Amino acid sequence: QAVRSGGPGGIADPMLGGTRPQDTLVLLDGVRLVDAAGIGTNLSTISLAGIARVEVQRGPSSALYGSDAQGGVIALYTDAAVAQGAHGDWSLGLGTNGLGRLEALNSFGWEGGGARLALSGSKQDAPTEADRHFRESRAFLGVNQALGENHTLSFVYRAAFIGVPLPYKSASLGSPFTYDPNRQDTVRNQQVLGTLRSGWGADWASEVTLAYSEQTRLEPNDYAMFGGPPVYAFTSYGSQANVTLHWNPSAQWSGSLLLQGVQERAVQPDYLGGLTRGEGRHLAAALEVAWEPIEALRLVGSLRQQRDRQAFLESTGVPETKDNQTTGKLGVNWQLPGGFRVYASGGTSFSNPLLYQVLYNAGNPGSPLLSNEESHFLQAGLGWERGPWRTRLEAWRTTMGTLVTFDYATFTYAMGRDLRFQGLEGAVDYHADHWTVGGWARSQEARDLTLPEDQQLQGTAVIRRPFFAFGLKADATLSAFRAGLAWSWQGPRYDYFGGFPGVYGPGRVHFNDLSASLGWDIRKDMSLTLRGDNLLQPKLTVAEWRAGTTNFQNDAYGIFNYPAPPPTVSLEFRIRY
């Protein structure tokens, strides 16, 4: 589940299991993609250029991956096989609302190795008239080479630029809506990593990965008239080393040992009291063991020990913080007769304070010291597969015993406690030879247990999560033609309306999203696809936005007064060789 603010490229906050955006960790080939100068994961800044596979691990995962994984993990992989010879996959898309998109993936394989190069660029108008439009460019280079029979060396480089129009300068009830058509955010990021994979006989294998990443965000200074630069720069640097040893002595036993070192640095604007640079260092060892005592029954246990240090790279009177954290997780997966499967897991999880939060507090004398967030969780599910039918029912609960929260009384970050996220989700799919249809439904809640019972759903750390959500999808293939339809409905939720502490109750505001596609395979290596996206969203003018025409109107926005993209129709031509 993601909550988007505004049009294309706007912030997309992931909320796995109803948790907060900073509780979802994104990995690239096992390397953390964390904005050390930010306050949470923004899916819009993650480049998919060169990505061959995406895996989503639902539920707390700190026992393997450490901090920032209290909601789950989104893992991106670039290790696609490259066939010998030259190959390409090119596409050109044009559409309404100024949409233009060009993507090119070229690969060349040779005996024992291969290379892939991906380049892409796109643009699209903002939801309302603006001097800027959304634009992005992305690049990827991946090379792998076998070194003898038992070793493979791979190299990955990725870079991206994203420019996002943000003309909605002020959008709070009770004050004039201020519109600046030239206002925008920009993000530049790049990552480079190398991995050596080795086999050591029939039972042992290893992976060694070294990586470096950096990102710079430029955000407008809306108070430049009182001093300061016109834009603020937030810069994040990160380096990481992973050493993983895999052991598989028999069909019943397997294990993995991970040794990990991470260094991250954040450079903040000087409006934070002059304390602008912070550093975090993290050393960890994680062990996972799997055992299958009988056929169809699998038990998995994970244990991680991590040592953390956060400090300032400037002379301050604020001491550095040090923490040691132990987390664990146990899981079971049992394949039963009749196509049934039962699975469950439970354990503990944690997150370090964000460097942004630490730096912010350091710039405010008297602010409290921040420590690790800690949580425990339990999740369980039942699945059934038979013939064309696939179903699942899952339940989860995560309770955060300690957490970092923003105290609006002192306008600093402080330690809080007792948040609870829980929910129930079910899905049904039917797969026939030439068509599929499926649906899902989710009921969830997030509560601040420190508040009176009638206010627990309205705390600042738990709002913006729909209590109910549903979705349907269908696909069909007939000869050379393909068709698809997807619909989702996100129900009412508490949200900010006019700033803290104002929240708007569940009420009737919901958000529908409908998309459709029709494809034609002209021949084996050439296709045309007609798509329609955001088909239920209203198209706004600046005058209508200023007048609040869509305030509290269904389907108009994901976050109040940041208009969702209007209906967009596009045609894509794709050729492969």
Side-chain angles (χ1 to χ4, degrees):
Q1 176 178 307
V3 175
R4 293 185 58 182
S5 60
I11 294 175
D13 290 330
M15 295 181 177
L16 283 177
T19 56
R20 307 163 304 172
Q22 64 263 41
D23 296 325
T24 297
L25 176 64
V26 180
L27 300 175
L28 171 65
D29 292 335
V31 174
R32 301 163 59 88
L33 295 182
V34 176
D35 179 7
I39 56 175
T41 300
N42 177 9
L43 297 182
S44 292
T45 64
I46 306 299
S47 170
L48 293 181
I51 298 301
R53 188 173 82 256
V54 179
E55 296 179 1
V56 178
Q57 183 165 332
R58 297 151 60 97
S61 305
S62 289
L64 273 183
Y65 304 109
S67 179
D68 310 313
Q70 294 189 102
V73 173
I74 300 174
L76 312 176
Y77 296 94
T78 62
D79 53 349
V82 179
Q84 290 197 26
H87 306 274
D89 189 342
W90 290 55
S91 65
L92 172 65
L94 298 172
T96 58
N97 301 313
L99 174 64
R101 181 172 55 246
L102 178 64
E103 299 179 355
L105 173 63
N106 297 279
S107 62
F108 185 80
W110 56 85
E111 185 175 355
R116 293 191 300 143
L117 173 65
L119 301 172
S120 66
S122 64
K123 70 176 188 67
Q124 190 171 351
D125 293 339
T128 51
E129 304 95 321
D131 296 342
R132 310 275 187 166
H133 55 248
F134 167 73
R135 68 268 187 215
E136 64 175 348
S137 57
R138 306 179 187 270
F140 163 83
L141 174 63
V143 181
N144 65 82
Q145 176 63 53
L147 306 176
E149 296 183 358
N150 300 318
H151 308 280
T152 301
L153 182 64
S154 62
F155 168 85
V156 169
Y157 174 78
R158 301 165 78 245
F161 166 81
I162 306 169
V164 183
L166 285 177
Y168 318 106
K169 186 175 180 180
S170 174
S172 297
L173 289 175
S175 62
F177 292 169
T178 306
Y179 197 89
D180 181 355
N182 195 50
R183 190 169 177 265
Q184 67 168 346
D185 277 357
T186 61
V187 178
R188 289 178 171 85
N189 60 53
Q190 60 180 343
Q191 303 92 31
V192 58
L193 61 95
T195 301
L196 176 63
R197 297 181 176 89
S198 303
W200 308 98
D203 300 341
W204 296 89
S206 65
E207 294 180 14
V208 179
T209 299
L210 300 177
Y212 172 81
S213 64
E214 63 181 34
Q215 174 178 282
T216 297
R217 289 183 289 111
L218 297 180
E219 298 186 354
N221 176 10
D222 293 333
Y223 303 97
M225 72 286 291
F226 301 114
V231 296
Y232 282 130
F234 297 79
T235 305
S236 170
Y237 304 95
S239 56
Q240 182 170 332
N242 289 351
V243 178
T244 308
L245 187 63
H246 303 284
W247 177 55
N248 191 19
S250 68
Q252 289 76 38
W253 287 94
S254 64
S256 296
L257 175 65
L258 168 66
L259 303 177
Q260 185 178 81
V262 178
Q263 182 185 44
E264 56 183 0
R265 289 188 175 183
V267 180
Q268 310 278 37
D270 60 9
Y271 69 78
L272 298 178
L275 303 176
T276 62
R277 298 186 299 151
E279 178 184 66
R281 294 184 178 182
H282 316 279
L283 297 174
L287 177 66
E288 181 178 76
V289 177
W291 177 41
E292 298 185 14
I294 59 174
E295 187 177 358
L297 177 62
R298 180 178 176 86
L299 306 175
V300 180
S302 305
L303 185 67
R304 182 183 180 100
Q305 176 66 42
Q306 179 164 321
R307 179 177 177 81
D308 305 295
R309 171 184 173 271
Q310 291 180 320
F312 302 101
L313 300 179
E314 295 153 322
S315 177
T316 74
V318 181
E320 68 178 33
T321 60
K322 295 180 180 180
D323 270 299
N324 288 303
Q325 196 75 47
T326 302
T327 51
K329 181 176 183 177
L330 292 174
V332 58
N333 184 75
W334 193 6
Q335 194 73 42
L336 300 171
F340 289 95
R341 182 169 72 97
V342 177
Y343 50 98
S345 65
T348 59
S349 201
F350 80 102
S351 286
N352 306 133
L354 302 175
L355 278 178
Y356 175 90
Q357 297 167 334
V358 173
L359 285 168
Y360 182 96
N361 269 20
N364 292 272
S367 300
L369 292 177
L370 305 178
S371 58
N372 281 354
E373 301 181 329
E374 298 181 355
S375 63
H376 57 272
F377 67 93
L378 180 65
Q379 55 189 49
L382 172 66
W384 177 69
E385 293 187 20
R386 174 171 291 184
W389 291 98
R390 298 178 184 176
T391 66
R392 63 177 173 85
L393 181 66
E394 298 176 343
W396 67 88
R397 171 180 283 188
T398 298
T399 302
M400 301 185 67
T402 59
L403 68 144
V404 178
T405 184
F406 193 76
D407 186 348
Y408 282 89
T410 61
F411 278 87
T412 61
Y413 288 95
M415 297 306 300
R417 59 183 179 87
D418 295 342
L419 293 187
R420 187 179 71 196
F421 308 96
Q422 62 184 13
L424 182 69
E425 180 174 304
V428 178
D429 293 283
Y430 184 90
H431 294 256
D433 291 337
H434 301 289
W435 57 274
T436 64
V437 64
W440 58 271
R442 179 190 302 123
S443 173
Q444 66 181 16
E445 68 171 23
R447 287 183 178 269
D448 185 341
L449 301 179
T450 64
L451 298 175
E453 185 172 357
D454 61 347
Q455 301 175 26
Q456 290 180 357
L457 301 174
Q458 305 176 38
T460 57
V462 298
I463 60 174
R464 286 186 175 162
R465 291 155 182 82
F467 296 103
F468 299 98
F470 312 93
L472 295 173
K473 61 180 180 179
D475 300 280
T477 302
L478 179 61
S479 185
F481 294 92
R482 296 165 284 107
L485 186 69
W487 165 78
S488 66
W489 180 89
Q490 293 194 22
R493 64 193 186 278
Y494 286 97
D495 204 341
Y496 292 106
F497 291 95
F500 183 84
V503 292
Y504 181 76
R508 299 184 178 87
V509 180
H510 60 253
F511 188 84
N512 278 287
D513 192 18
L514 179 66
S515 63
S517 65
L518 178 63
W520 174 34
D521 292 330
I522 303 171
R523 62 189 196 191
K524 183 179 179 180
D525 57 357
M526 187 181 299
S527 64
L528 279 175
T529 303
L530 179 67
R531 287 189 58 87
D533 295 293
N534 309 113
L535 295 178
L536 301 179
Q537 276 55 66
K539 173 69 175 177
L540 279 180
T541 65
V542 175
E544 289 171 333
W545 179 83
R546 289 181 186 274
T549 302
T550 59
N551 286 355
F552 312 113
Q553 177 179 313
N554 294 330
D555 310 326
Y557 46 77
I559 293 180
F560 173 68
N561 231 353
Y562 288 85
T568 302
V569 178
S570 62
L571 183 65
E572 179 187 80
F573 174 72
R574 182 180 181 187
I575 186 169
R576 298 170 294 280
Y577 65 87

